[in-house]
Amino acid sequence: MADYLPHTPAEIDEMLAFLGMDSLDQLFAHIPPAVRLSQGLDLPEGMSEPDVAALFTRYTSANQSKASEMTCFAGAGVYDHEVPAVVKMLAGRSEFVTAYTPYQPEVAQGVLQAIFEYQTLITRLSGLPIPNASLYDAATGLVEALNMAHGATTRQKMVISAGVHPHWREVAKTFARGTGHEIVEVALKDGVTDWGSVDASNAAAIVASYPNYLGVLEDMSGAKALAVANDALFVLGADPVAAGVLKTAGQWGADIFVGEGQPFGTPLAFGGPFLGLFACTSEQTRRLPGRIVGETLDSNGRRSFVTTLRAREQDIRREKATSNVCTNQTLMAVTAAIQLGWLGTQGLREVATRCAQGAHYLFDELVKIEGVRAVSTQPFFREFAVRIGHDASTVLLTMANDGVLGGVSVAALTGDPDPSLDGEVDEVLLVTVTERRTKEEIDRYVEVLRKAIGQ
Amino acid sequence: MADYLPHTPAEIDEMLAFLGMDSLDQLFAHIPPAVRLSQGLDLPEGMSEPDVAALFTRYTSANQSKASEMTCFAGAGVYDHEVPAVVKMLAGRSEFVTAYTPYQPEVAQGVLQAIFEYQTLITRLSGLPIPNASLYDAATGLVEALNMAHGATTRQKMVISAGVHPHWREVAKTFARGTGHEIVEVALKDGVTDWGSVDASNAAAIVASYPNYLGVLEDMSGAKALAVANDALFVLGADPVAAGVLKTAGQWGADIFVGEGQPFGTPLAFGGPFLGLFACTSEQTRRLPGRIVGETLDSNGRRSFVTTLRAREQDIRREKATSNVCTNQTLMAVTAAIQLGWLGTQGLREVATRCAQGAHYLFDELVKIEGVRAVSTQPFFREFAVRIGHDASTVLLTMANDGVLGGVSVAALTGDPDPSLDGEVDEVLLVTVTERRTKEEIDRYVEVLRKAIGQ
Amino acid sequence: MTSRALSGGRAASAPLLGHETEPTIFEMSVPGRSAYQLRTTNVPATALAELIPAAHLNGDVLDIAEVSERDLVAHFTRLSHRQFSVDLGMYPLGSCTMKYNPKFCDAVANDPGLNSVHPASPAELTQGWLELLVTLEETLCAVTGMAAATLQPAAGAAGELTGLLLMRAYHSANGDPRRRILIPDSAHGTNPASVTLGGYEVTTIPSNDRGLVDLEKLKASLGPDVAGIMLTNPNTLGLFEEEITEIAAAVHEVGGLLYYDGANLNAILGVVRPGDMGFDIVHMNLHKTFATPHGGGGPGAGPVAVSQRLVDFLPGPKATRVEDGTHAWVKPSRSIGRVHGWHGNAMVLARALAYIDVHGGDGLTRVAKYAVLNANWLRHRLRATLPAAYDRVCMHECVLTATPLKNAYGVRGLDVAKALLEEGFHSPTVYFPLIVEEALMFEPTETESLQTLEALAEAIERIAQRAIDDPDGLHRAPQTTPVSRVDEARAARHLIPTEDAASR
Amino acid sequence: MTSRALSGGRAASAPLLGHETEPTIFEMSVPGRSAYQLRTTNVPATALAELIPAAHLNGDVLDIAEVSERDLVAHFTRLSHRQFSVDLGMYPLGSCTMKYNPKFCDAVANDPGLNSVHPASPAELTQGWLELLVTLEETLCAVTGMAAATLQPAAGAAGELTGLLLMRAYHSANGDPRRRILIPDSAHGTNPASVTLGGYEVTTIPSNDRGLVDLEKLKASLGPDVAGIMLTNPNTLGLFEEEITEIAAAVHEVGGLLYYDGANLNAILGVVRPGDMGFDIVHMNLHKTFATPHGGGGPGAGPVAVSQRLVDFLPGPKATRVEDGTHAWVKPSRSIGRVHGWHGNAMVLARALAYIDVHGGDGLTRVAKYAVLNANWLRHRLRATLPAAYDRVCMHECVLTATPLKNAYGVRGLDVAKALLEEGFHSPTVYFPLIVEEALMFEPTETESLQTLEALAEAIERIAQRAIDDPDGLHRAPQTTPVSRVDEARAARHLIPTEDAASR
Ligand SMILES: Cc1ncc(COP(=O)(O)O)c(C=O)c1O
Ligand SMILES: Cc1ncc(COP(=O)(O)O)c(C=O)c1O
């Protein structure tokens, strides 16, 4: 019998006898018969591990766009960065993988210290002093930021740039059904948020993205000024890899930073588990969502770490809590700490620089192609949007036949025509270049795209 | 610069200054200039890990017979058994992988206890009480067994069945160049050692294989009787998986057991690192080659483990040592202990049974094919030899085109025409079925072979 | 030279060798050292200043730790030696279901065929993933007795909030938004927190003297403004709500919906299904019930399954089987929208499906039965030492109380929990649920053997004896752990969440 | 119930939690329990008795441990916590070269494209492997300055014996078999043991007062019956044999060959090559020089490279590049035959090639230089505490002596070594080479940082202070380790090599 249960028949009998019972069913005798399953679950019989592995090849072989086989130029918030064997090995150590939330600090210094190091790194990447121990992903992190802004201002209006990732905006809207926040979107113009077009009075938060989801590096001073002018918090969703060379959220004056930590050691993973990065100014400490690890001493005076400010958390504050997060993404946070340790100061800078170099090299080549046009004239980092004069989704499938995942169709990403883009959104392709892409791969991209659009 | 060296330029300067030197070269100044390399090594510049990984795909893609892609019916001492994720994970824990020989038992109880458990398992599988902590592989294990037999008898004549794996015999012959042992081979007849044909007087050892390399299960009573009659030691090379259902070396009366431990958790690995299993009677304890772990107490009276009988070993006995083994195959021994723990009593029996069932099922189907004939009428376990009426090497390549690694050509294995086989050795194919082969795969084998030999 | 010696390869912090603290990676950092290696790309190395306007550049202010790969490995390996985990020993943490996490499921998830797929790849190129998700959804529905599910929520709490938004959408669609959600006083804190974030008010229902929802008081709290009730069954006391049919009828009667907090679903797999009990919405914690590893606090996955009337409101887009046998992303007609940036914690979902496939319907049922058997055996075994708060047949966990020890010797539940660490066991959940004094909530799980349970019981007996012999020693426990009892109050009083705050 | 409680999930044996012993897997075993899972094959399940005659069947006598997967994992994870390793800290074990083992090289070896290839597959189907082996052979020749190499020997000692058999074959082919091999008194024990197994006699050459081969005495020992000499250079004292050219000339003069024990090759990478020093045969310990992990005692790999005149004698078959650019197995014309069951420890070979490729010629040279720098810094730093046996510039390791501590306080080298364990360092090699009293042989390796070296030095200084303050305490060290000082004599007196012997 293929399972993980240690019980031998003799032991089951012995245990039942100890309980004065003669069958396992007796343990469930107090469950009303009316609701009990009579036939057992309508599921197949158990299979051995190798049989299940064989079954799973059905799934793996039907996934054609694996980055292990197709050169990945897709991004949209999820990036194909280098993850070395050493990081996988360390993050995969079973003490990290099979631990629970560090409720007993005396036997959880491993995870606690790793989170402490993660928190330190997040504050450095964000330029904001108060981190948490992770959130589910950037999108739900944004929701927490809005809730924090609401808590700080008691206001309900959330002014959000349309440059914020469409999925993040969608998630914010979903959760606003519960909190009652009013979400006001600000359209883009030439790829840049048109802050002037919005009434931000009485706003709890001004929310921007850096770069924005089309890859554009907007000057954040405008957003900051708007926040200040309206006594709103400035929430900045920022790319943490960009922080290797670009201004941090703190440098732009943000009150709250949210970001997606996937680029730090987490694979593409079909979208999860990822890592919601979060940091804020010290004014907001008591409103921090999720767990936070702090330094303290043990009874013998040794430096120790512990989850702290627990009074904010849902299990203690219950209906008065401002966040319900319990399980978070610790393992990804630990992974990010390890990956950042591997990169180090030079490495992160190097990765960021190479992203920018690769993206610009490809951009320059692409816009030489007849019929390919930039969506924006603004600066960008490792991602940019181009109009390709053809249906982007169709072109992507054609390119896939040549082993290239050519990017992300903006129409597919946004679901509905994006109000921020004028003209045919179906023609807009979002293209990413990470430090992993070689010149040869980029040149081939150009060739494959040319072929796909008949140029 | 891509390497693993921590030294920063400032530190190098500081360290040199501490030594009163001003260049690294000064450290080597005492080496006669005449022998020093002036130009550095004639090797390419260092490459980053991902570049090397890309380079290695050159090798991996040129290996067509990977068991991950081609159904493996090859054996000849190396078997495609199930290795579950859990065993890989545990055996891959870096405390086991990156430890040295357990010279300091106080911080090496992990490896020492794992070896102690391995040793226990080997004695159970072999039916002989004195194990060692592993040897390089079965072939070199056989050499150690001959040396032990020489030590015990002071004789030089080694009577070896031609049923012993051809490579093991070759290795024994190579090392006999140093020890001066006289190797006498005994031919097979209908796949069975013709012990009657040999003069075993004055033999140090009678050496047999169970099953023999053609898969045949010989009755070992004859070999044992011959050893007893001539006061020789009976050395039995036995398949440790077969011990799940078949008689152990001890049950057959062997004085020394050698075996290949690869089937216990080690992948095919292109032939290594494998695991030389070794056990003997207690009479031979002081002649045991290699390391042995024994139980003892620590200074606080707690059960502990330590490498023991060190006085036998080369580092202490030097030129009087009977074995020069130092580094052995500990990690594979630990892996075997883990894999056997995973299999357990039932699992090993089940694996052995399934091997026999699969092999017999395939055998029965194969001999139905016109032109395919059994090499021997004797019983077998999971491997058997058949004549296929065509050049086996050619047939194997043809079968490979259909995704089947159809076995091992006996002619290729033996290198030279095997004296034990009458008729065309080129036509003999050695076929293995492990517990991993499904009926569907076996049926397909039959079909593919039929096609390859035009039946 | 002291700060210099700090950094580097000394392993005295590994409990194997000593009990010193491990330096942080920042203390180990040396300027100019590095570990990273990147591929050669041959992309033109144009100066950044030529690519990006100066206003955007940070002027190289960013400081990350600088260590060699060797020290990186040593540091995190040593940290791992300072961390308890399921793989080291029993973790009877009630409500958290710390069962064995099969390594096979990890291996499945590490396959690049799943792991290296970009979530924004066209559906045509990710048919394997879509089919996997659809299969998992169907499987979870079979387990819970529901009609459809969303796999997006990243953990149980996210599932709760999703469920509440579904309730809200449902009632709103009926033109009757409603205001209140009922929650028993034994509920986990995420439940009321989620209710608030869902825009509802909490009405707390007291438990009766059997540890169950007081049906009469529940009925008294019901009214047309009640949107629904959140229950976990078995509840957080490990007790089955025997009057569940009556509860369901009463809530449905006033037009409310029933939400099932699936944290304890492992107790009833194959025995009874939330759908059959009358629940309308169910979240599952895959990291509990289906043994995906907790990762030191996450990732989890909290799919939400619903009855037919809520299907159209589910978050989307959802992987869906379409007529021609292929799979596509489809947004339910009245979807509340996305609750996750992408498709949920996909790798956790894959692990859970692998776990379910290995067990099958029969195995999952055994999981529940043996989990319940273990909990009852432990409860009964410890009767004389730590009595159960409600001493009758429990489900997969039992809440014991240290009140007798406290009254007699001044030894609190926390002392028992801490002393257990020295005995080689993780502590149980302490002081939860709130309605039990000195609560110690033990969930042995089905993967622990009788021998392990016995060892735990004997350890607790030893601690009980220590309570008599040396109560003060117990207040100071643990001492053999990497750090001794930690000053939690100090940490909260003066927050030091980062190395930079520490060194300030 | 005690034996019952022994088995199972108690983790008190993990130093993280306590210092109890870990039960053996046999003590944890419960009849009927199991962990294995096999595929469904649908092969007819014919009874074994129908397939194999009864005379061969063992009657189900075999007893293996019976544990659940959960307990298997816990057991071996806990054992791993009782084990020091490079990944935990510095391992300055002289002669063993315990440098950092890059995880990348492990990943390379775990690729099924290498790892799942059957060694008896036709060469046509394994061209990748053959090319890899040829490339490695060429690379090793470039590093050593030799003409060709065999990759078959599974470790250094196997390489030594192979080398001696090559000498024998060479001399025999010249009709002049010869009898003796010269070995310096500082040599590792494998050298003389190999000589004996190679059918030669050992003549020991004393070292001079500089720790080097005494050239005059060497010359005096030479004669026409000398087959050759085995040297390691730098020798086991970490000192370079400066008269190597003279030694080579003298040995060659009498028709002898020079064998290079490559255990210390890491000291001279890119600086000087054995071939250029006049050696004819060189073994390499890939698990030392090229950082393949030692695995708790193995696997290793001990390729042997030779000069032109020995090429035809190499073991075979050898992977060989053939004219058409493909690769084939070719047996050298006068091959001594196989020295390994297959092609050597292939996965170790692959790891070593990956390591070499990452470093390149430049990186390998840095490896040697920094290894030598580290050893000299440490030697110099410890001058006042543990003097070097020969206090001058050393190569990659230095042999220090505890004689002053012994004379002054009765503290032996072993005590220092054991006390270091408590300080978070592995011990150095003790009492080797035999010619140095109270030898402590430190090999820091190039992957350890200056900070780590300083930490080691400070730890040794603390121990030296303890030698003054509390010498008795040092005799009892270590105490904080999983077990305290182990009784080695007891183990040898009454051999208990198995659980079955233990329980008898
Ligand atoms: C009863 C109960 N409900 C809800 C939750 C929250 O689930 P999650 O941690 O997955 O967010 C928990 C988690 O401990 C729980 O025990
Ligand atoms: C100088 C020397 N020679 C030879 C050897 C033997 O090498 P191996 O252990 O690889 O067999 C060693 C190993 O420690 C050594 O240090």
Side-chain angles (χ1 to χ4, degrees), chain B residues 6 11 14 48-49 51 95, chain C residues 4 33 37-38 40 81:
Chain B
E11 288 173 336
E14 182 189 333
S48 72
E49 290 180 353
D51 286 348
E95 296 90 339
Chain C
R4 151 157 303 167
R33 210 168 268 169
Q37 302 193 27
L38 302 176
T40 304
H81 273 235

Side-chain angles (χ1 to χ4, degrees), chain B residues 100 103 136 324-327, chain D residues 95-96 155-158 160 188 190-191 232 236 261 263-264 283 285 287-288 432:
Chain B
Y100 198 76
Y103 287 144
Y136 305 136
N324 72 341
V325 169
C326 181
T327 290
Chain D
S95 208
C96 300
E160 292 173 23
H188 192 268
T190 51
N191 291 184
T232 172
T236 60
D261 175 339
N264 298 337
H283 91 248
N285 306 64
H287 45 300
K288 299 180 178 185
F432 177 74

Side-chain angles (χ1 to χ4, degrees), chain D residues 220-305:
Chain D
S221 299
L222 284 172
D225 62 339
V226 167
I229 185 170
M230 293 184 85
L231 286 179
T232 172
N233 193 13
N235 66 20
T236 60
L237 294 160
L239 302 174
F240 193 84
E241 296 286 355
E242 297 167 16
E243 296 179 311
I244 184 61
T245 324
E246 292 77 6
I247 295 172
V251 174
H252 281 151
E253 178 111 21
V254 299
L257 298 176
L258 277 85
Y259 182 97
Y260 183 90
D261 175 339
N264 298 337
L265 184 67
N266 52 318
I268 59 168
L269 294 172
V271 175
V272 43
R273 303 188 306 170
D276 300 336
M277 292 190 265
F279 284 93
D280 303 284
I281 309 173
V282 179
H283 91 248
M284 286 149 276
N285 306 64
L286 302 190
H287 45 300
K288 299 180 178 185
T289 307
F290 301 114
T292 68
H294 282 69
V304 172

Side-chain angles (χ1 to χ4, degrees), chain A residues 109-437:
Chain A
Q109 289 297 303
V111 163
L112 286 164
Q113 183 168 336
I115 296 176
F116 181 80
E117 296 179 3
Y118 161 81
Q119 289 180 168
T120 303
L121 291 163
I122 296 317
T123 58
R124 293 186 182 178
L125 288 170
S126 64
L128 287 170
I130 304 297
N132 76 4
S134 80
L135 293 168
Y136 304 135
D137 64 359
T140 52
L142 173 59
V143 174
E144 299 288 351
L146 300 184
N147 293 349
M148 182 181 258
H150 167 67
T153 61
T154 70
R155 300 178 188 166
Q156 291 278 35
K157 184 154 117 187
M158 307 294 166
V159 175
I160 305 186
S161 159
V164 170
H165 194 293
H167 292 180
W168 303 18
R169 283 181 277 140
E170 266 194 73
V171 171
K173 283 179 213 158
T174 302
F175 287 100
R177 291 166 172 261
T179 52
H181 300 155
E182 177 200 353
I183 310 276
V184 178
E185 277 193 13
V186 192
L188 302 181
K189 221 172 161 174
D190 183 29
V192 172
T193 316
D194 186 11
W195 295 114
S197 70
V198 72
D199 167 20
S201 63
N202 216 18
I206 306 295
V207 184
S209 177
Y210 183 73
N212 70 27
Y213 93 95
L214 295 172
V216 173
L217 292 172
E218 305 185 37
D219 185 323
M220 285 298 147
S221 337
K224 173 66 185 174
L226 195 65
V228 171
N230 292 282
D231 268 341
L233 297 196
F234 177 28
V235 176
L236 187 54
D239 181 337
V241 171
V245 291
L246 303 185
K247 282 195 176 148
T248 62
Q251 283 177 305
W252 284 117
D255 297 286
I256 308 177
F257 155 79
V258 297
E260 178 49 65
Q262 177 274 333
F264 298 138
T266 294
L268 301 173
F270 206 52
F274 283 176
L275 172 61
L277 309 178
F278 196 97
C280 61
T281 57
S282 39
E283 286 74 42
Q284 308 304 332
T285 305
R286 305 279 146 178
R287 281 181 208 98
L288 194 74
R291 243 168 259 134
I292 184 169
V293 168
E295 185 183 316
T296 186
L297 299 177
D298 77 354
S299 64
N300 296 312
R302 285 175 302 204
R303 186 182 191 183
S304 315
F305 303 96
V306 67
T307 55
T308 191
L309 304 189
R310 297 266 292 119
R312 299 163 302 113
E313 285 186 50
Q314 37 67 32
D315 57 329
I316 294 179
R317 236 172 118 80
R318 302 178 74 84
E319 58 264 39
K320 296 199 188 61
T322 51
S323 165
N324 71 341
V325 170
C326 180
T327 290
N328 60 15
Q329 308 281 117
T330 303
L331 188 61
M332 278 66 229
V334 172
T335 304
I338 299 170
Q339 173 85 4
L340 281 163
W342 176 76
L343 283 170
T345 305
Q346 291 173 44
L348 182 64
R349 210 172 284 165
E350 180 80 24
V351 163
T353 305
R354 288 189 184 204
C355 284
Q357 288 165 340
H360 284 81
Y361 174 68
L362 177 54
F363 177 85
D364 292 347
E365 293 301 312
L366 283 188
V367 292
K368 289 181 194 159
I369 301 175
E370 172 88 38
V372 174
R373 283 183 300 125
V375 162
S376 165
T377 58
Q378 300 296 315
F380 58 92
F381 171 54
R382 74 174 144 197
E383 194 160 13
F384 55 85
V386 281
R387 296 189 172 282
I388 55 174
H390 292 73
D391 181 75
S393 294
T394 313
V395 168
L396 285 174
L397 292 181
T398 312
M399 293 179 77
N401 289 331
D402 284 321
V404 174
L405 184 59
V408 173
S409 148
V410 166
L413 186 71
T414 55
D416 312 302
D418 191 308
S420 336
L421 289 164
D422 24 56
E424 271 302 331
V425 65
D426 290 349
E427 293 183 2
V428 183
L429 189 61
L430 197 55
V431 185
T432 295
V433 183
T434 68
E435 86 290 354
R436 298 193 71 220
R437 295 287 77 80

